[in-house]
Amino acid sequence: GFMYNSLASPWSNIAQADHRIINCHYALMLHCKDPGSMAETCLPSTPRACLGLPAAEIQAFHAYDLTLEDRHQLNPRYHEPIIPSVAERRTCDFWDAAPAMSFHNNRCLNCQVADMASFVI
């Protein structure tokens, strides 16, 4: 079976909760175009990825606050802020200085003539 945590232990309830929390927030980010979004502010209903999660796990994702230099993580066990290292700050500075980016539509070359038997899953 699939192993979690550096292949050291089998998939656990904590790993499953972590997986569900990340997928919920990823769905909110994609649908609402903001990682700090809440479903009720941008969607008519809760995304399927968020159904069944405790309300405490579907809180707005905290934006990075440069004055505090801490960040939050989506994790069912650890809710304390993380203070970035110098190397992490350099990486953030690099990406903060990059031009704005957006998601791109899926591009498919000759999609209309693709043979379904040739797709590898």
Side-chain angles (χ1 to χ4, degrees):
F2 181 82
M3 302 299 276
Y4 190 71
N5 190 11
S6 302
L7 305 177
S9 61
W11 190 262
S12 65
N13 289 339
I14 288 290
Q16 181 64 25
D18 193 32
H19 173 77
R20 294 182 65 219
I21 292 166
I22 290 168
N23 278 310
C24 171
H25 282 272
Y26 187 64
L28 289 171
M29 182 182 74
L30 291 178
H31 288 292
C32 303
K33 309 212 181 341
D34 177 1
S37 293
M38 294 295 291
E40 61 269 10
T41 62
C42 73
L43 298 171
S45 63
T46 301
R48 174 171 261 160
C50 301
L51 295 176
L53 280 174
E57 300 296 357
I58 312 176
Q59 75 281 2
F61 194 71
H62 302 279
Y64 178 72
D65 185 340
L66 185 60
T67 61
L68 298 176
E69 292 194 341
D70 65 355
R71 67 182 192 269
H72 296 266
Q73 59 182 328
L74 299 174
N75 190 298
R77 293 175 289 184
Y78 308 114
H79 297 283
E80 297 298 318
I82 301 167
I83 306 300
S85 68
V86 172
E88 288 175 316
R89 275 190 237 126
R90 274 191 238 124
T91 300
C92 290
D93 290 344
F94 170 82
W95 286 111
D96 287 345
M101 294 177 256
S102 63
F103 290 105
H104 295 280
N105 292 332
N106 186 18
R107 305 264 195 267
C108 181
L109 182 62
N110 295 323
C111 292
Q112 66 277 14
V113 296
D115 177 10
M116 292 304 287
S118 66
F119 285 96
V120 177
I121 298 176

